[in-house]
Amino acid sequence: MALTISLVFLFGLVLFFLLRSHSLSFGSAFTAAGFGFFLASTGAATPINQLATAVLNAIPDL
């Protein structure tokens, strides 16, 4: 059985736990989320998606 998890959900969960453990401030989390939002609307979005897909496809082969 394959389990799929959205990378947005995964990164959101990591940000939540970093905020909860006080390893990250709210300003830093807001900056990280804003950077990701604006990065998604640039030409860099396609290569980043391709890289993430390649890494996720390579993990089972390790």
Side-chain angles (χ1 to χ4, degrees):
M1 181 174 90
L3 176 67
T4 59
I5 298 174
S6 169
L7 285 178
V8 172
F9 174 76
L10 183 64
F11 284 128
L13 191 63
V14 169
L15 277 175
F16 171 76
F17 283 115
L18 286 173
L19 283 170
R20 188 169 168 98
S21 68
H22 302 291
S23 298
L24 187 70
S25 68
F26 286 107
S28 298
F30 181 75
T31 302
F35 177 72
F37 177 78
F38 288 114
L39 183 64
S41 65
T42 67
T46 302
I48 290 171
N49 285 334
Q50 291 172 347
L51 177 65
T53 302
V55 169
L56 290 174
N57 289 335
I59 289 174
D61 295 334
L62 293 178

